[in-house]
Every structure is written in C-alpha cells, then in structure tokens.
Amino acid sequence: MLGWVVTFLIIALIAGILGFGGIAGASIEIAKIIFFIAIVLFLISAVAHVARGRRI
C-alpha cells in the first residue's frame, strides 16, 4: 500500500515540475489519503496483535 503512496508522490512531483498543477494537487491528495489508510490499518493490526497475545 505504501508503494502506491510513493507512486502518487512521484507523479505529483513530475507533474509539478512540468507545470501541471491540477494533476499534481490531485496526486498529492490521493497519496495523503492512501498514506493515512495505511497508518490506520497498521494501528489496527498492531492492536489486534497485542490483544491476541503471544500464544504458541
């Protein structure tokens, strides 16, 4: 999922350098949304792992 964030950030940087402000802005917003979704999923996974405990 973080690969998508990096992809959209690269698209935004290239679009910004070439002067495509609308595409750059949209790519940054998509990258932000995916990044925060990845953070939330990571936190849910971490809490579930701690709640489950270390049973062998």
PDB file of all heavy atoms in Angstrom, residues 28-47:
ATOM      1  N   ILE A  28      -1.213  14.430  -4.988  1.00  0.00           N
ATOM      2  CA  ILE A  28      -0.830  14.615  -3.580  1.00  0.00           C
ATOM      3  C   ILE A  28      -1.984  14.237  -2.657  1.00  0.00           C
ATOM      4  O   ILE A  28      -1.782  13.586  -1.635  1.00  0.00           O
ATOM      5  CB  ILE A  28      -0.390  16.072  -3.338  1.00  0.00           C
ATOM      6  CG1 ILE A  28       0.980  16.310  -3.952  1.00  0.00           C
ATOM      7  CG2 ILE A  28      -0.366  16.419  -1.869  1.00  0.00           C
ATOM      8  CD1 ILE A  28       2.118  15.626  -3.243  1.00  0.00           C
ATOM      9  N   GLU A  29      -3.194  14.640  -3.004  1.00  0.00           N
ATOM     10  CA  GLU A  29      -4.350  14.306  -2.166  1.00  0.00           C
ATOM     11  C   GLU A  29      -4.580  12.795  -2.112  1.00  0.00           C
ATOM     12  O   GLU A  29      -4.861  12.246  -1.051  1.00  0.00           O
ATOM     13  CB  GLU A  29      -5.604  15.016  -2.672  1.00  0.00           C
ATOM     14  CG  GLU A  29      -5.570  16.516  -2.483  1.00  0.00           C
ATOM     15  CD  GLU A  29      -5.392  16.909  -1.027  1.00  0.00           C
ATOM     16  OE1 GLU A  29      -6.036  16.303  -0.149  1.00  0.00           O
ATOM     17  OE2 GLU A  29      -4.598  17.826  -0.772  1.00  0.00           O
ATOM     18  N   ILE A  30      -4.454  12.125  -3.250  1.00  0.00           N
ATOM     19  CA  ILE A  30      -4.616  10.669  -3.271  1.00  0.00           C
ATOM     20  C   ILE A  30      -3.525  10.015  -2.432  1.00  0.00           C
ATOM     21  O   ILE A  30      -3.794   9.079  -1.666  1.00  0.00           O
ATOM     22  CB  ILE A  30      -4.580  10.151  -4.728  1.00  0.00           C
ATOM     23  CG1 ILE A  30      -5.825  10.622  -5.479  1.00  0.00           C
ATOM     24  CG2 ILE A  30      -4.492   8.629  -4.758  1.00  0.00           C
ATOM     25  CD1 ILE A  30      -5.774  10.360  -6.972  1.00  0.00           C
ATOM     26  N   ALA A  31      -2.293  10.499  -2.547  1.00  0.00           N
ATOM     27  CA  ALA A  31      -1.191   9.945  -1.761  1.00  0.00           C
ATOM     28  C   ALA A  31      -1.439  10.127  -0.269  1.00  0.00           C
ATOM     29  O   ALA A  31      -1.177   9.216   0.524  1.00  0.00           O
ATOM     30  CB  ALA A  31       0.128  10.600  -2.166  1.00  0.00           C
ATOM     31  N   LYS A  32      -1.953  11.278   0.129  1.00  0.00           N
ATOM     32  CA  LYS A  32      -2.254  11.521   1.540  1.00  0.00           C
ATOM     33  C   LYS A  32      -3.316  10.567   2.051  1.00  0.00           C
ATOM     34  O   LYS A  32      -3.183  10.004   3.139  1.00  0.00           O
ATOM     35  CB  LYS A  32      -2.748  12.957   1.743  1.00  0.00           C
ATOM     36  CG  LYS A  32      -1.680  13.989   1.797  1.00  0.00           C
ATOM     37  CD  LYS A  32      -2.297  15.287   2.283  1.00  0.00           C
ATOM     38  CE  LYS A  32      -1.833  16.456   1.504  1.00  0.00           C
ATOM     39  NZ  LYS A  32      -2.462  17.704   1.913  1.00  0.00           N
ATOM     40  N   ILE A  33      -4.381  10.389   1.279  1.00  0.00           N
ATOM     41  CA  ILE A  33      -5.477   9.510   1.690  1.00  0.00           C
ATOM     42  C   ILE A  33      -4.979   8.081   1.846  1.00  0.00           C
ATOM     43  O   ILE A  33      -5.247   7.424   2.862  1.00  0.00           O
ATOM     44  CB  ILE A  33      -6.638   9.587   0.674  1.00  0.00           C
ATOM     45  CG1 ILE A  33      -7.309  10.952   0.751  1.00  0.00           C
ATOM     46  CG2 ILE A  33      -7.650   8.475   0.920  1.00  0.00           C
ATOM     47  CD1 ILE A  33      -8.266  11.238  -0.384  1.00  0.00           C
ATOM     48  N   ILE A  34      -4.233   7.590   0.857  1.00  0.00           N
ATOM     49  CA  ILE A  34      -3.725   6.218   0.937  1.00  0.00           C
ATOM     50  C   ILE A  34      -2.751   6.069   2.101  1.00  0.00           C
ATOM     51  O   ILE A  34      -2.745   5.053   2.800  1.00  0.00           O
ATOM     52  CB  ILE A  34      -3.066   5.807  -0.400  1.00  0.00           C
ATOM     53  CG1 ILE A  34      -4.123   5.756  -1.493  1.00  0.00           C
ATOM     54  CG2 ILE A  34      -2.384   4.454  -0.275  1.00  0.00           C
ATOM     55  CD1 ILE A  34      -3.564   5.533  -2.877  1.00  0.00           C
ATOM     56  N   PHE A  35      -1.932   7.083   2.355  1.00  0.00           N
ATOM     57  CA  PHE A  35      -0.986   7.027   3.467  1.00  0.00           C
ATOM     58  C   PHE A  35      -1.720   6.920   4.802  1.00  0.00           C
ATOM     59  O   PHE A  35      -1.360   6.095   5.646  1.00  0.00           O
ATOM     60  CB  PHE A  35      -0.091   8.266   3.456  1.00  0.00           C
ATOM     61  CG  PHE A  35       0.864   8.328   4.606  1.00  0.00           C
ATOM     62  CD1 PHE A  35       1.971   7.500   4.620  1.00  0.00           C
ATOM     63  CD2 PHE A  35       0.651   9.196   5.656  1.00  0.00           C
ATOM     64  CE1 PHE A  35       2.861   7.549   5.685  1.00  0.00           C
ATOM     65  CE2 PHE A  35       1.533   9.253   6.720  1.00  0.00           C
ATOM     66  CZ  PHE A  35       2.646   8.426   6.736  1.00  0.00           C
ATOM     67  N   PHE A  36      -2.765   7.720   4.993  1.00  0.00           N
ATOM     68  CA  PHE A  36      -3.489   7.664   6.256  1.00  0.00           C
ATOM     69  C   PHE A  36      -4.263   6.358   6.401  1.00  0.00           C
ATOM     70  O   PHE A  36      -4.375   5.822   7.508  1.00  0.00           O
ATOM     71  CB  PHE A  36      -4.404   8.883   6.412  1.00  0.00           C
ATOM     72  CG  PHE A  36      -3.632  10.133   6.729  1.00  0.00           C
ATOM     73  CD1 PHE A  36      -3.688  11.225   5.881  1.00  0.00           C
ATOM     74  CD2 PHE A  36      -2.833  10.216   7.852  1.00  0.00           C
ATOM     75  CE1 PHE A  36      -2.961  12.374   6.164  1.00  0.00           C
ATOM     76  CE2 PHE A  36      -2.105  11.360   8.153  1.00  0.00           C
ATOM     77  CZ  PHE A  36      -2.167  12.441   7.297  1.00  0.00           C
ATOM     78  N   ILE A  37      -4.761   5.804   5.315  1.00  0.00           N
ATOM     79  CA  ILE A  37      -5.414   4.497   5.373  1.00  0.00           C
ATOM     80  C   ILE A  37      -4.395   3.434   5.789  1.00  0.00           C
ATOM     81  O   ILE A  37      -4.698   2.562   6.617  1.00  0.00           O
ATOM     82  CB  ILE A  37      -6.068   4.143   4.022  1.00  0.00           C
ATOM     83  CG1 ILE A  37      -7.290   5.037   3.785  1.00  0.00           C
ATOM     84  CG2 ILE A  37      -6.468   2.682   3.965  1.00  0.00           C
ATOM     85  CD1 ILE A  37      -7.887   4.907   2.397  1.00  0.00           C
ATOM     86  N   ALA A  38      -3.178   3.509   5.249  1.00  0.00           N
ATOM     87  CA  ALA A  38      -2.125   2.559   5.613  1.00  0.00           C
ATOM     88  C   ALA A  38      -1.768   2.676   7.088  1.00  0.00           C
ATOM     89  O   ALA A  38      -1.576   1.664   7.775  1.00  0.00           O
ATOM     90  CB  ALA A  38      -0.892   2.780   4.744  1.00  0.00           C
ATOM     91  N   ILE A  39      -1.705   3.904   7.607  1.00  0.00           N
ATOM     92  CA  ILE A  39      -1.402   4.109   9.029  1.00  0.00           C
ATOM     93  C   ILE A  39      -2.502   3.496   9.898  1.00  0.00           C
ATOM     94  O   ILE A  39      -2.217   2.818  10.888  1.00  0.00           O
ATOM     95  CB  ILE A  39      -1.260   5.619   9.342  1.00  0.00           C
ATOM     96  CG1 ILE A  39      -0.078   6.187   8.606  1.00  0.00           C
ATOM     97  CG2 ILE A  39      -1.181   5.874  10.830  1.00  0.00           C
ATOM     98  CD1 ILE A  39       1.228   6.151   9.332  1.00  0.00           C
ATOM     99  N   VAL A  40      -3.761   3.740   9.546  1.00  0.00           N
ATOM    100  CA  VAL A  40      -4.884   3.202  10.325  1.00  0.00           C
ATOM    101  C   VAL A  40      -4.873   1.681  10.296  1.00  0.00           C
ATOM    102  O   VAL A  40      -5.046   1.028  11.337  1.00  0.00           O
ATOM    103  CB  VAL A  40      -6.225   3.773   9.799  1.00  0.00           C
ATOM    104  CG1 VAL A  40      -7.402   3.023  10.393  1.00  0.00           C
ATOM    105  CG2 VAL A  40      -6.332   5.252  10.112  1.00  0.00           C
ATOM    106  N   LEU A  41      -4.652   1.091   9.131  1.00  0.00           N
ATOM    107  CA  LEU A  41      -4.604  -0.366   9.044  1.00  0.00           C
ATOM    108  C   LEU A  41      -3.443  -0.937   9.852  1.00  0.00           C
ATOM    109  O   LEU A  41      -3.576  -1.981  10.490  1.00  0.00           O
ATOM    110  CB  LEU A  41      -4.510  -0.805   7.580  1.00  0.00           C
ATOM    111  CG  LEU A  41      -5.764  -0.587   6.745  1.00  0.00           C
ATOM    112  CD1 LEU A  41      -5.497  -0.958   5.296  1.00  0.00           C
ATOM    113  CD2 LEU A  41      -6.928  -1.389   7.295  1.00  0.00           C
ATOM    114  N   PHE A  42      -2.310  -0.254   9.849  1.00  0.00           N
ATOM    115  CA  PHE A  42      -1.179  -0.695  10.657  1.00  0.00           C
ATOM    116  C   PHE A  42      -1.517  -0.660  12.144  1.00  0.00           C
ATOM    117  O   PHE A  42      -1.208  -1.596  12.885  1.00  0.00           O
ATOM    118  CB  PHE A  42       0.049   0.170  10.388  1.00  0.00           C
ATOM    119  CG  PHE A  42       1.167  -0.073  11.362  1.00  0.00           C
ATOM    120  CD1 PHE A  42       1.934  -1.222  11.263  1.00  0.00           C
ATOM    121  CD2 PHE A  42       1.432   0.824  12.371  1.00  0.00           C
ATOM    122  CE1 PHE A  42       2.955  -1.458  12.169  1.00  0.00           C
ATOM    123  CE2 PHE A  42       2.441   0.597  13.282  1.00  0.00           C
ATOM    124  CZ  PHE A  42       3.220  -0.552  13.179  1.00  0.00           C
ATOM    125  N   LEU A  43      -2.145   0.425  12.593  1.00  0.00           N
ATOM    126  CA  LEU A  43      -2.505   0.534  14.010  1.00  0.00           C
ATOM    127  C   LEU A  43      -3.515  -0.531  14.413  1.00  0.00           C
ATOM    128  O   LEU A  43      -3.405  -1.126  15.493  1.00  0.00           O
ATOM    129  CB  LEU A  43      -3.039   1.934  14.313  1.00  0.00           C
ATOM    130  CG  LEU A  43      -2.002   3.050  14.233  1.00  0.00           C
ATOM    131  CD1 LEU A  43      -2.663   4.403  14.432  1.00  0.00           C
ATOM    132  CD2 LEU A  43      -0.913   2.834  15.259  1.00  0.00           C
ATOM    133  N   ILE A  44      -4.502  -0.799  13.572  1.00  0.00           N
ATOM    134  CA  ILE A  44      -5.481  -1.851  13.860  1.00  0.00           C
ATOM    135  C   ILE A  44      -4.783  -3.200  13.954  1.00  0.00           C
ATOM    136  O   ILE A  44      -5.051  -3.997  14.857  1.00  0.00           O
ATOM    137  CB  ILE A  44      -6.592  -1.862  12.794  1.00  0.00           C
ATOM    138  CG1 ILE A  44      -7.466  -0.618  12.930  1.00  0.00           C
ATOM    139  CG2 ILE A  44      -7.442  -3.121  12.896  1.00  0.00           C
ATOM    140  CD1 ILE A  44      -8.436  -0.427  11.788  1.00  0.00           C
ATOM    141  N   SER A  45      -3.854  -3.455  13.037  1.00  0.00           N
ATOM    142  CA  SER A  45      -3.113  -4.709  13.054  1.00  0.00           C
ATOM    143  C   SER A  45      -2.266  -4.834  14.322  1.00  0.00           C
ATOM    144  O   SER A  45      -2.201  -5.904  14.935  1.00  0.00           O
ATOM    145  CB  SER A  45      -2.221  -4.795  11.822  1.00  0.00           C
ATOM    146  OG  SER A  45      -1.416  -5.931  11.868  1.00  0.00           O
ATOM    147  N   ALA A  46      -1.622  -3.755  14.715  1.00  0.00           N
ATOM    148  CA  ALA A  46      -0.783  -3.780  15.915  1.00  0.00           C
ATOM    149  C   ALA A  46      -1.618  -4.014  17.171  1.00  0.00           C
ATOM    150  O   ALA A  46      -1.238  -4.806  18.045  1.00  0.00           O
ATOM    151  CB  ALA A  46       0.001  -2.479  16.033  1.00  0.00           C
ATOM    152  N   VAL A  47      -2.765  -3.354  17.275  1.00  0.00           N
ATOM    153  CA  VAL A  47      -3.640  -3.530  18.438  1.00  0.00           C
ATOM    154  C   VAL A  47      -4.181  -4.955  18.481  1.00  0.00           C
ATOM    155  O   VAL A  47      -4.229  -5.582  19.551  1.00  0.00           O
ATOM    156  CB  VAL A  47      -4.787  -2.492  18.417  1.00  0.00           C
ATOM    157  CG1 VAL A  47      -5.845  -2.830  19.440  1.00  0.00           C
ATOM    158  CG2 VAL A  47      -4.228  -1.098  18.664  1.00  0.00           C
TER     159      VAL A  47
END
